[in-house]
């Protein structure tokens, strides 16, 4: 099976702009989670989508949003970019067998490196 | 709140030797999972090993094994017969529900 794919791999934006990142999960995986990785804060959970619904959300401002489509592909959007949003954004998918299931192994994509100038 | 602590920012080991990476965690959840991921210079996060908290038996995966001490909330990773390709940042992670909480990471360097 193909792994998790993320596009684009690299992005350069300026402050105030907005950006959309895309993630395609492993075939059959219904849950997609997003993480932000920075040298200062480490890896932090942004949100998780399952069956087109946001099921869990981390402690990030409303400028960070996401959505999931019927084919489980997910996008995350960051509006009004700030310098501190520069980070590696990682997407992970997992095979959640039912809406009530708890943790399953998350498999990560290669990430999108966002630089805000 | 859940926390994961990795107290060793950097470690090094000679090729073919054994090394142990430490991890402690804290959670009030009764149903959770523990993971070790590695992140080589390519930045691709790769699953190394997984442990279900309800299982007493320690997980093993080829050269990788864990020492899971539930009462002590400790979850260490042992790498046997270290190889140059094991050089990477290693992250301990606690999974509860759909969220992973990561430690700060341990940079492991395998020397020839």
């Amino acid at each position: 099976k193909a792994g998790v794919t993320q596009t684009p791999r690299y992005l350069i934006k300026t402050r105030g702009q907005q950006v959309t990142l895309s993630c395609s999960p492993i075939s059959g995986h219904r849950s997609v989670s997003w993480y932000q990785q920075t040298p200062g804060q480490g890896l932090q959970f942004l949100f998780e989508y399952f069956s087109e619904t946001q099921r869990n959300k981390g402690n990030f401002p409303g400028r960070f949003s996401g959505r999931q489509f019927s084919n489980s592909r997910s996008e995350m959007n960051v509006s009004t970019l700030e310098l501190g949003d520069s980070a590696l954004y990682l997407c992970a998918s997992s095979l959640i067998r039912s809406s009530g299931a708890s943790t399953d192994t998350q498999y990560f994509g290669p990430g999108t490196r966002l630089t805000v100038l | 709140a859940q926390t994961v602590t990795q107290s060793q920012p950097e470690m090094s080991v000679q090729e073919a030797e054994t090394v142990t990476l430490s991890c402690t965690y804290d959670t009030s959840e009764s149903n959770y999972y523990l993971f070790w991921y590695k992140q080589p210079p390519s930045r691709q996060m790769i699953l190394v090993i997984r442990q279900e908290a309800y299982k007493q038996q320690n997980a093993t995966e080829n050269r990788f094994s864990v020492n899971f001490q539930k009462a002590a909330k400790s979850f260490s990773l042992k790498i046997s017969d270290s190889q140059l390709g094991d050089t990477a940042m290693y992250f301990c992670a606690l999974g509860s529900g759909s969220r992973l909480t990561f430690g700060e990471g341990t940079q492991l360097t395998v020397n020839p």
Side-chain angles (χ1 to χ4, degrees):
Chain A
K1 277 186 181 178
V4 179
T5 59
Q6 292 186 245
T7 56
R9 295 292 311 278
Y10 302 92
L11 266 178
I12 299 176
K13 293 286 187 179
T14 57
R15 280 180 298 173
Q17 288 186 309
Q18 74 166 19
V19 67
T20 299
L21 313 182
S22 181
C23 172
S24 292
I26 293 170
S27 177
H29 284 196
R30 299 167 65 190
S31 170
V32 174
S33 299
W34 289 89
Y35 296 84
Q36 181 196 64
Q37 185 176 22
T38 61
Q41 299 298 317
L43 280 149
Q44 294 185 287
F45 173 78
L46 280 156
F47 31 64
E48 184 245 359
Y49 285 86
F50 175 79
S51 292
E52 303 178 62
T53 301
Q54 187 181 89
R55 194 164 63 158
N56 204 344
K57 188 178 189 308
N59 188 26
F60 278 82
R63 301 185 296 108
F64 292 82
S65 62
R67 59 177 175 168
Q68 186 180 35
F69 302 94
S70 59
N71 61 357
S72 295
R73 189 177 71 85
S74 177
E75 290 181 345
M76 70 163 280
N77 185 76
V78 188
S79 61
T80 319
L81 284 166
E82 301 177 0
L83 294 179
D85 297 334
S86 294
L88 179 68
Y89 290 89
L90 293 166
C91 163
S93 74
S94 56
L95 179 65
I96 304 294
R97 294 170 179 82
S98 69
S99 62
S102 60
T103 304
D104 205 335
T105 301
Q106 295 189 18
Y107 297 91
F108 285 81
T112 294
R113 168 74 64 187
L114 172 65
T115 301
V116 182
L117 303 176
Chain B
Q2 299 180 138
T3 60
V4 177
T5 302
Q6 294 178 248
S7 58
Q8 306 152 312
E10 296 180 358
M11 294 191 72
S12 63
V13 64
Q14 293 298 121
E15 198 174 5
E17 293 187 346
T18 296
V19 64
T20 299
L21 309 183
S22 301
C23 171
T24 58
Y25 64 93
D26 193 20
T27 180
S28 58
E29 301 288 335
S30 57
N31 184 21
Y32 58 91
Y33 296 74
L34 293 160
F35 304 87
W36 280 97
Y37 285 90
K38 65 182 274 189
Q39 189 177 44
S42 67
R43 309 309 298 275
Q44 173 79 54
M45 193 76 77
I46 301 165
L47 175 70
V48 174
I49 200 164
R50 156 192 165 122
Q51 172 80 44
E52 290 87 346
Y54 63 86
K55 288 186 178 179
Q56 292 188 336
Q57 185 175 5
N58 289 325
T60 62
E61 194 70 46
N62 300 316
R63 298 182 295 108
F64 300 89
S65 62
V66 298
N67 183 4
F68 176 45
Q69 301 290 326
K70 190 171 184 178
K73 295 184 177 177
S74 170
F75 183 61
S76 62
L77 174 70
K78 185 172 83 170
I79 306 174
S80 304
D81 186 25
S82 296
Q83 300 176 359
L84 296 178
D86 295 332
T87 292
M89 181 73 86
Y90 285 78
F91 290 97
C92 177
L94 169 66
S96 180
S98 54
R99 175 192 302 236
L100 288 178
T101 301
F102 287 88
E104 307 90 335
T106 296
Q107 176 62 50
L108 175 68
T109 301
V110 180
N111 299 309

